[in-house]
Amino acid sequence: DAKTTQPPSMDCAEGRAANLPCNHSTISGNEYVYWYRQIHSQGPQYIIHGLKNNETNEMASLIITEDRKSSTLILPHATLRDTAVYYCIVRVVLSNDYKLSFGAGTTVTVRA
Amino acid sequence: DTGVSQDPRHKITKRGQNVTFRCDPISEHNRLYWYRQTLGQGPEFLTYFQNEAQLEKSRLLSDRFSAERPKGSFSTLEIQRTEQGDSAMYLCASSFRTSDYTQYFGPGTRLTVL
């Protein structure tokens, strides 16, 4: 079962930052927060992951609260090509926790 | 940098026929995963290989489904006697220790059973 809660949908204006929330109140100490996105009819695309520190890469930033019960994915300058379903997933790294449990995700629509 | 590739990208078949899909993981990735995604749902785990060994199968993988990874490189997923309920996107992913076993997905194979 998915261990995360995300809003079903959200809109964002092109060029503005998109802040995608995720609740994972039952996260364990050794579970990482992963974000993927899926553009229509394509395979899921890895975005970013983190344990407790904030992370940034060329695609996005991940902000994890100090108690690790929630996180926010930030797309700094949303473009129309960022329209996708975004999935927040928790998993244990470097173990036999092989299965990603995808929930319903957040459908993000970037509008011009 | 070559990502995960899947073939074919689309397959239309008649009910009762057998189909086989192929997945080529990222080079040197020792773990390979199969997922299935139906319309409007997130991907669901089917099975997982570490090298050539199939270590776990979901209860979603009925007796009509079989997956192999004979030499620890590419993998095949076969569905025998297809049913209309098998219509879905079949996704393959691969991972490796040096990337925290982050799973990288292929483009998927869209199966339509008529």
Side-chain angles (χ1 to χ4, degrees):
Chain A
D1 293 332
K3 305 176 185 178
T4 63
T5 303
Q6 300 177 251
S9 64
M10 63 182 294
D11 286 357
C12 176
E14 188 179 22
R16 303 294 296 272
N19 297 318
L20 282 61
C22 179
N23 287 320
H24 30 79
S25 58
T26 60
I27 192 170
S28 302
N30 59 350
E31 286 184 312
Y32 282 63
V33 179
Y34 272 75
W35 284 84
Y36 284 81
R37 73 179 182 184
Q38 190 170 25
I39 296 170
H40 182 61
S41 295
Q42 298 182 21
Q45 177 188 23
Y46 164 75
I47 300 174
I48 199 167
H49 73 283
L51 181 63
K52 54 183 179 181
N53 296 323
N54 298 337
E55 302 287 345
T56 295
N57 63 19
E58 65 278 4
M59 289 183 67
S61 295
L62 174 61
I63 309 298
I64 303 174
T65 58
E66 192 169 344
D67 63 8
R68 303 210 322 120
K69 292 184 177 181
S70 65
S71 61
T72 300
L73 179 75
I74 301 173
L75 307 177
H77 304 287
T79 71
L80 298 179
R81 289 176 296 181
D82 292 323
T83 292
V85 179
Y86 287 76
Y87 296 100
C88 171
I89 301 166
V90 296
R91 65 173 288 255
V92 179
V93 169
L94 297 180
S95 74
N96 288 325
D97 182 13
Y98 42 82
K99 178 174 62 177
L100 293 179
S101 296
F102 289 82
T106 297
T107 299
V108 174
T109 303
V110 180
R111 303 191 185 279
Chain B
D1 183 19
T2 303
V4 177
S5 62
Q6 294 187 245
D7 183 69
R9 295 292 308 279
H10 303 274
K11 178 70 176 180
I12 300 174
T13 190
K14 294 182 179 179
R15 188 175 52 188
Q17 297 295 305
N18 299 342
V19 295
T20 299
F21 309 140
R22 176 179 170 125
C23 171
D24 286 89
I26 295 171
S27 179
E28 299 182 349
H29 278 199
N30 64 330
R31 291 188 177 180
L32 186 147
Y33 316 78
W34 286 98
Y35 290 79
R36 182 175 71 183
Q37 185 174 25
T38 54
L39 205 59
Q41 304 296 316
E44 296 175 290
F45 171 80
L46 290 179
T47 190
Y48 149 63
F49 290 85
Q50 180 156 303
N51 300 313
E52 66 275 12
Q54 187 174 19
L55 297 186
E56 186 64 30
K57 294 191 293 185
S58 163
R59 58 180 172 79
L60 295 176
L61 216 63
S62 75
D63 292 344
R64 297 184 296 104
F65 288 69
S66 62
E68 294 183 343
R69 194 182 183 200
K71 297 183 179 180
S73 57
F74 73 91
S75 175
T76 59
L77 177 68
E78 180 183 16
I79 308 174
Q80 296 182 328
R81 304 181 302 283
T82 53
E83 302 173 356
Q84 287 186 325
D86 296 331
S87 295
M89 173 82 86
Y90 290 84
L91 295 159
C92 176
S94 69
S95 70
F96 192 60
R97 180 184 182 91
T98 55
S99 60
D100 292 339
Y101 286 121
T102 296
Q103 295 183 28
Y104 295 91
F105 284 81
T109 295
R110 167 83 56 195
L111 173 65
T112 302
V113 181
L114 303 177

